[in-house]
Amino acid sequence: MAGRNMEITVAKTAGFCFGVKRAVEKVYDQIATGKKQIYTYGPIIHNEEVVQDLEEKGVQVINSKEELEALKEGVVVIRSHGVGREIYELLERQGLELVDATCPFVKKIHKIVREQCEAGRRVIIVGNEHHPEVEGIKGWGNEYTLAVESLEEFENLALRPDEKLCIVAQTTFNYNKFQDLVEKISKTYYDILVLNTICNATKERQTEARQIAARVDAMVVIGDKRSSNTQKLFEICKEECLNTYYIQTLDDLDINQLRSVESVGITAGASTPNKIIEEVQNNVRINF
Ligand code: F3S
């Protein structure tokens, strides 16, 4: 089959976004100083390959607040997802050195949440409440701060009609879904301040993925299974192209699935290293 004229389109926006790139670089910079034991609070990115490489270089992953409480020295890197206020306070109490790799776009949401709560608005985060980014954002709010993922969840909150609301989004939330949700919520009689905090990198990646998926016979989405933004990309591509495949690495790619297609699109989540994207792209080229 090799030599067939398969058209391959790789999304320009595939791979590391600015915030993830910055966070990963910060860890490697720390390794280069070689001074203290380095920890990351949670895996630095949702990518097993990168996390494993860091582990081999001596970086340890802290998985819970309890583990952090037990630490007495070292450098702790906060990843791009960010954390709530209490983690900063804990690090300070423990006398641990902090390297803050929170993405500036996430930091901006933390600031909004803090300020809007102080101004007396109830903050609603549109996103997955179990995702670390949303947990971190919530950690800058107060007891009234909530997260919802759908209109149904919002309606179930049974808020008082006179409540002042501020709505923000998880940076990787599906842009169209957010717009849709906000439009529906705005039709109610609440006093609402909507701040669309979906990051541009996400929006551009999603728009490009949708455009490519709409015109190819098969679409390959590369990213770790735990990566929220990759899951969203998969969802979007699947809407446009039934032959959409979600793979973590080249090993997951079943080339047989592409045998009968003439065009393939490739995109990848924000935590997918370029190396993996290139491997997949080269493999598809070699095979067709
Ligand atoms: Fe930051 Fe956007 Fe990436 S919020 S971590 S640049 S997806």
Side-chain angles (χ1 to χ4, degrees):
M1 206 42 119
R4 180 152 72 90
N5 223 356
M6 164 87 88
E7 189 202 323
I8 303 168
T9 312
V10 181
K12 290 188 196 71
T13 50
F16 280 8
C17 60
F18 148 81
V20 164
K21 192 161 173 263
R22 178 173 168 271
V24 173
E25 278 170 7
K26 277 188 190 274
V27 183
Y28 282 102
D29 286 353
Q30 284 301 313
I31 296 172
T33 68
K35 280 189 280 180
K36 288 185 184 167
Q37 172 62 49
I38 305 156
Y39 302 93
T40 61
Y41 190 60
I44 193 75
I45 59 171
H46 291 306
N47 187 278
E48 280 165 21
E49 279 217 331
V50 174
V51 172
Q52 209 175 329
D53 182 56
L54 290 173
E55 250 172 47
E56 281 159 18
K57 293 185 165 65
V59 177
Q60 289 180 29
V61 179
I62 303 270
N63 287 306
S64 65
K65 223 178 100 188
E66 291 67 35
E67 276 180 48
L68 198 57
E69 272 162 353
L71 275 192
K72 293 283 168 269
E73 55 181 3
V75 183
V76 178
V77 185
I78 306 269
R79 56 190 175 169
S80 57
H81 288 327
V83 292
R85 197 182 343 223
E86 62 164 358
I87 300 297
Y88 287 91
E89 288 166 2
L90 181 59
L91 286 169
E92 205 182 325
R93 275 204 306 279
Q94 303 284 110
L96 295 162
E97 199 180 319
L98 161 74
V99 172
D100 195 350
T102 307
C103 177
F105 298 124
V106 177
K107 272 251 179 242
K108 197 176 104 191
I109 308 179
H110 292 173
K111 188 166 171 270
I112 293 172
V113 172
R114 183 169 45 80
E115 288 173 356
Q116 292 304 321
C117 284
E118 279 166 15
R121 284 187 186 265
R122 183 201 279 270
V123 176
I124 308 280
I125 308 154
V126 179
N128 176 349
E129 68 171 329
H130 304 297
H131 189 281
E133 182 196 317
V134 176
E135 285 171 358
I137 296 172
K138 241 178 138 181
W140 289 91
N142 54 26
E143 67 268 41
Y144 304 110
T145 309
L146 296 165
V148 297
E149 241 180 324
S150 63
L151 184 65
E152 200 193 347
E153 275 181 36
F154 177 80
E155 284 168 348
N156 284 341
L157 297 176
L159 304 174
R160 283 195 331 266
D162 59 342
E163 276 204 65
K164 289 182 174 164
L165 302 182
C166 167
I167 302 192
V168 295
Q170 181 177 354
T171 56
T172 52
F173 201 77
N174 181 318
Y175 189 81
N176 292 339
K177 270 196 187 170
F178 180 75
Q179 294 293 79
D180 193 40
L181 188 73
V182 162
E183 203 177 297
K184 287 184 180 131
I185 296 176
S186 302
K187 285 194 184 128
T188 62
Y189 41 92
Y190 297 114
D191 172 358
I192 298 178
L193 173 66
V194 178
L195 296 160
N196 183 345
T197 49
I198 296 176
C199 146
N200 255 342
T202 307
K203 194 186 153 208
E204 282 163 15
R205 190 189 309 266
Q206 290 174 353
T207 308
E208 194 190 13
R210 188 183 289 281
Q211 282 164 355
I212 297 176
R215 62 176 173 78
V216 293
D217 299 330
M219 189 76 193
V220 179
V221 180
I222 319 166
D224 198 279
K225 290 280 183 239
R226 290 164 304 168
S227 155
S228 145
N229 77 87
T230 313
Q231 286 164 16
K232 300 266 160 53
L233 275 182
F234 176 70
E235 244 174 66
I236 290 169
C237 292
K238 189 89 187 167
E239 276 170 28
E240 304 292 337
C241 174
L242 279 179
N243 296 327
T244 296
Y245 305 103
Y246 191 155
I247 63 169
Q248 294 209 120
T249 65
L250 179 61
D251 295 343
D252 304 328
L253 182 69
D254 180 357
I255 226 72
N256 286 322
Q257 288 168 324
L258 306 180
R259 290 276 172 236
S260 60
V261 304
E262 284 175 357
S263 55
V264 173
I266 300 173
T267 189
S271 45
T272 309
N274 262 338
K275 206 179 106 217
I276 302 183
I277 304 171
E278 276 163 23
E279 272 171 12
V280 172
Q281 182 188 353
N282 290 338
N283 197 273
V284 176
R285 267 190 218 292
I286 290 164
N287 276 283
F288 296 99

